[in-house]
Amino acid sequence: MKVLVTDPIADAGMDVLRDAGHEVVTDYDAEGDELLAAVADANALIVRSGTDVSREVFEAAEELVIVGRAGIGVDNIDIDAATDHGVIVANAPEGNVRAAAEHTVAMTFATARSIPQAHARLKTGEWAKGAFLGTELNGKTLGIVGLGRVGQEVAKKLDSLGMDLVAFDPYISEERAEQLGAELAELDAVLERADVLTIHTPLTSETENMIGEEELAQMEGGYLVNCARGGIVDEVALAEAVEDGVLAGAALDVFAEEPLAEDSPLLDAEDVIVTPHLGASTEAAQENVAVSTAEQVAAAFADEPVANALNAPSIDQSAFPRVEPYIHLADTAGKIAVQLLDSRVESVEVRYEGDIAGEDVELVTASALKGVFAPLELQVNAVNAPAMAEERGIEVSETKRQQAEDFQSLVTVTVSDGEEEISVDGTLFAGDDARIVRVDGYRVDAIPGGKMMVTRNTDEPGVIGHIGTVMGKYGVNIAAMFNAREIIGGEALTVYNVDEEVPDEAREELETDDRIIETRYISLNGV
C-alpha cells in the first residue's frame, strides 16, 4: 500500500509503516494541483495542520482508504467529503495531550508572572524589578472552556496548585467534572468567576469566535490562555481588551491564521504573550502522535478497527477478536437479504441474540448495511454505509436479546420495502465457520460463498431432480445443496452453491415449471 505524507512527522511513525511492508512517500510542498496529482494513487494520506484535505482531494484520490491526522485538530479535513467517499478520518488525540497541557500550564505561569516581558527587559540591560507585580495562582479560580482530554489534564495540574475549578462543557457529565474537582457552569458564569481562563475546545461552527468583545468584558482583571485552536478567540478584541486594561494579560499559542501576520495587533500588545503553535512540540509528543497515526493507517489496511476513527464505527482492540467473525457474517447476510428482496429497500433491521448481544456491535451493524448496499453502489463500506442509509431515508434499527434459541449467537438482517420483508439469519460454528441457518423463516444449514441460487418450490418428488437437469443443461455445476420445507407436501426452499453464474435463461426455464414458484441468483463477490 502507498502512504503519502504531506506534513513532517517523526521518523518513528514512518518506520512503523515501512516495517509493515508499505511504501511511504513524503511530499511536504504539495498543494493545489500538485497535491491532487500526488494523492491520485495513494491508499493513505498522513497530514498535520498544514495540508488542506478538501473535497477535491477526496475526488482525486480513488484509492484512498484513510486520512490520518498526526495530532488532534481536524478542521483542515473535510470529514463530510471523506465519509461520502468512504474514507476513514482518524486523529491521534492522546499522543500530545500531556505536551499541550504542560504548555498551557507554562503559558499560565508566564502571563500571570510576566516572565517573557521581564526577560526581554533584562536582556536589554534594564533591571525592571519594580515594573512587574505578578499574580499567585493559589486560591484563584481557573475557568476551563472544554473539559476534554487536554482540559482534564490541565485541571488536574492546576488543581494541585490550589486553584478552584469551574468549567463549561455541555458534553461532559457532572459526575465526571466532580471527579476532577471542577464545578460545571454556563459560559457566562465561568467568564465572570475566572481569574484565569483556559480554552480546550476544537474549532467548530459552535466555537468559532466564541470569546469576543462581550465575553472578554466579563473577565475584567483576569488572564486568558489559549493553546487549543485559533479562531475561537476574537484576536482584535483580545488585543484591545489587554491594551485597555480590561484583561491583565493573555497568552496564545494558536491563531486564526498561521503563521501570525506581522501586522497582527497581538504583537503590539505588551501583555499578550505569543508562541508559534508549540503546544505539541516536544520530542515525545511528536513521536507518540506519529506512531499512533501510523498504527491506525496499518489497522485500516488490515481491515481492523481504527481506534480513533472520527467518521467510522470503531471498537476497543480487546473486544475485536470476539466481534471480528460477525463482521463478515453480517455483511454476507445483508447481501443475501437485499438480493432476495429484489426491490427498493425502505428499512433495515439488524438483530443480535445470544452472546453477541453483549458486545459492542456498531461495526457489525455498519457491515450489515454495507452488505445491503453492495449491489447498489460502487463505493460502499462501513464508513459511508450509515450515512448512505440516512441520505436515502432508509430506517435503520438495531435490537438485542440476550437469549438465542438453538444457537450460542445469532445475527439476523431483515430488509423491507414497506410491504414485503426478507430475513436472513446467520451464526458461527466452531468459532468462525459462518453458516446461514434461516432464510425467510426456513431453517437451513447453508454455507455462504461465491455464487448461490435460492429457489422456492412445491415439496413433491422430482422437483430437485428437474432443477439439477436444467442447471446441467446450461453448464452450471452444483457444488452443494441445502433444503428446507414447511410441511411435507407444502412449500420448500433450497439454497444451492454453484460454481458458475446462473444465466437468466436457466432461471426463466425453471420458472416455466408450475412446481417452481421463484428463483433468485445471488452473488457474494460483487453484483
Side-chain angles (χ1 to χ4, degrees):
M1 293 288 200
K2 178 180 177 180
V3 181
L4 175 65
V5 183
T6 57
D7 293 315
I9 66 170
D11 290 341
M14 292 189 280
D15 289 343
V16 167
L17 294 166
R18 292 189 179 110
D19 291 346
H22 303 299
E23 177 188 5
V24 178
V25 176
T26 61
D27 190 343
Y28 302 147
D29 298 320
E31 59 181 27
D33 291 341
E34 291 181 4
L35 175 60
L36 300 183
V39 80
D41 62 345
N43 304 109
L45 174 63
I46 294 179
V47 303
R48 293 180 66 191
S49 59
T51 301
D52 181 19
V53 190
S54 63
R55 181 171 291 274
E56 288 73 20
V57 171
F58 292 106
E59 290 172 350
E62 296 184 358
E63 304 299 320
L64 204 59
V65 175
I66 182 172
V67 173
R69 166 63 165 97
I72 298 178
V74 290
D75 45 286
N76 58 314
I77 302 172
D78 190 333
I79 295 180
D80 290 338
T83 302
D84 291 343
H85 287 80
V87 178
I88 300 168
V89 176
N91 64 351
E94 300 287 353
N96 57 16
V97 166
R98 185 175 293 106
E102 288 184 0
H103 195 66
T104 300
V105 172
M107 294 286 267
T108 300
F109 276 113
T111 188
R113 299 302 299 267
S114 301
I115 294 171
Q117 297 92 326
H119 168 82
R121 298 271 284 271
L122 187 56
K123 279 285 190 177
T124 63
E126 182 181 359
W127 185 265
K129 182 175 181 179
F132 302 103
L133 186 64
T135 297
E136 293 184 15
L137 299 181
N138 180 56
K140 299 299 189 294
T141 297
L142 174 69
I144 306 172
V145 178
L147 208 51
R149 293 180 178 90
V150 178
Q152 291 183 24
E153 193 70 19
V154 170
K156 294 173 186 176
K157 295 181 184 305
L158 292 180
D159 179 54
S160 67
L161 296 177
M163 297 192 77
D164 298 323
L165 310 182
V166 58
F168 169 70
D169 190 328
Y171 304 105
I172 196 169
S173 68
E174 290 188 7
E175 180 182 1
R176 178 55 182 155
E178 289 176 2
Q179 291 173 352
L180 296 164
E183 174 189 348
L184 285 183
E186 294 301 317
L187 180 59
D188 287 344
V190 172
L191 294 171
E192 290 173 0
R193 293 170 56 183
D195 297 301
V196 178
L197 185 80
T198 64
I199 297 170
H200 309 286
T201 71
L203 179 63
T204 67
S205 57
E206 292 180 340
T207 63
E208 187 172 11
N209 287 322
M210 173 188 284
I211 309 297
E213 183 179 356
E214 293 183 6
E215 289 76 21
L216 294 169
Q218 295 177 264
M219 295 176 55
E220 187 172 359
Y223 299 89
L224 182 143
V225 179
N226 182 17
C227 297
R229 304 299 290 177
I232 297 171
V233 179
D234 184 328
E235 294 171 4
V236 174
L238 176 63
E240 291 178 355
V242 174
E243 289 276 51
D244 295 343
V246 175
L247 293 185
L252 301 178
D253 184 51
V254 290
F255 310 94
E257 292 187 10
E258 297 180 0
L260 185 62
E262 293 181 1
D263 61 352
S264 169
L266 295 171
L267 298 177
D268 295 327
E270 182 179 358
D271 290 324
V272 174
I273 300 168
V274 291
T275 54
H277 207 144
L278 301 179
S281 294
T282 69
E283 185 175 345
Q286 291 304 299
E287 184 167 318
N288 289 342
V289 297
V291 170
S292 174
T293 303
E295 289 175 344
Q296 292 184 86
V297 168
F301 287 163
D303 288 327
E304 295 177 355
V306 177
N308 296 307
L310 301 175
N311 65 334
S314 189
I315 188 173
D316 185 85
Q317 289 281 358
S318 63
F320 183 64
R322 300 192 298 273
V323 172
E324 181 180 15
Y326 294 95
I327 294 173
H328 180 68
L329 177 65
D331 175 88
T332 299
K335 287 178 180 176
I336 295 173
V338 74
Q339 292 178 74
L340 289 175
L341 182 66
D342 196 29
S343 64
R344 175 179 170 80
V345 177
E346 297 285 348
S347 65
V348 179
E349 178 191 9
V350 186
R351 186 169 67 250
Y352 301 93
E353 300 177 51
D355 291 350
I356 186 62
E359 301 289 350
D360 178 357
V361 293
E362 183 183 13
L363 186 57
V364 183
T365 298
S367 295
L369 291 177
K370 170 179 172 286
V372 169
F373 288 124
L376 310 176
E377 299 290 339
L378 294 177
Q379 286 188 320
V380 60
N381 57 24
V383 177
N384 58 13
M388 191 177 295
E390 183 176 357
E391 290 169 3
R392 291 171 174 267
I394 296 173
E395 181 182 350
V396 178
S397 59
E398 179 184 293
T399 58
K400 292 183 176 183
R401 192 174 72 172
Q402 297 300 322
Q403 300 298 323
E405 296 180 6
D406 303 327
F407 303 101
Q408 188 170 347
S409 289
L410 194 69
V411 177
T412 303
V413 179
T414 302
V415 295
S416 172
D417 62 5
E419 296 181 1
E420 180 186 2
E421 68 175 33
I422 295 289
S423 294
V424 175
D425 299 23
T427 192
L428 299 174
F429 290 166
D432 59 359
D433 187 8
R435 288 287 195 278
I436 299 301
V437 294
R438 196 174 290 118
V439 175
D440 200 25
Y442 288 89
R443 178 67 182 269
V444 296
D445 183 14
I447 301 173
K451 304 173 180 67
M452 305 169 70
M453 187 175 75
V454 177
T455 65
R456 297 174 189 267
N457 54 270
T458 56
D459 181 39
E460 55 184 281
V463 178
I464 291 177
H466 173 63
I467 292 173
T469 299
V470 172
M471 298 282 269
K473 174 183 175 181
Y474 287 90
V476 179
N477 186 56
I478 297 174
M481 181 185 76
F482 310 93
N483 184 251
R485 61 186 180 183
E486 294 175 330
I487 57 174
I488 297 176
E491 186 175 312
L493 180 145
T494 307
V495 178
Y496 297 89
N497 290 112
V498 294
D499 293 333
E500 293 81 24
E501 181 177 343
V502 180
D504 292 341
E505 295 81 2
R507 293 178 50 236
E508 289 169 1
E509 181 171 331
L510 287 171
E511 290 177 359
T512 60
D513 190 306
D514 291 339
R515 298 170 299 175
I516 298 176
I517 302 166
E518 181 184 42
T519 66
R520 283 275 189 270
Y521 171 69
I522 294 171
S523 172
L524 298 181
N525 295 330
V527 181

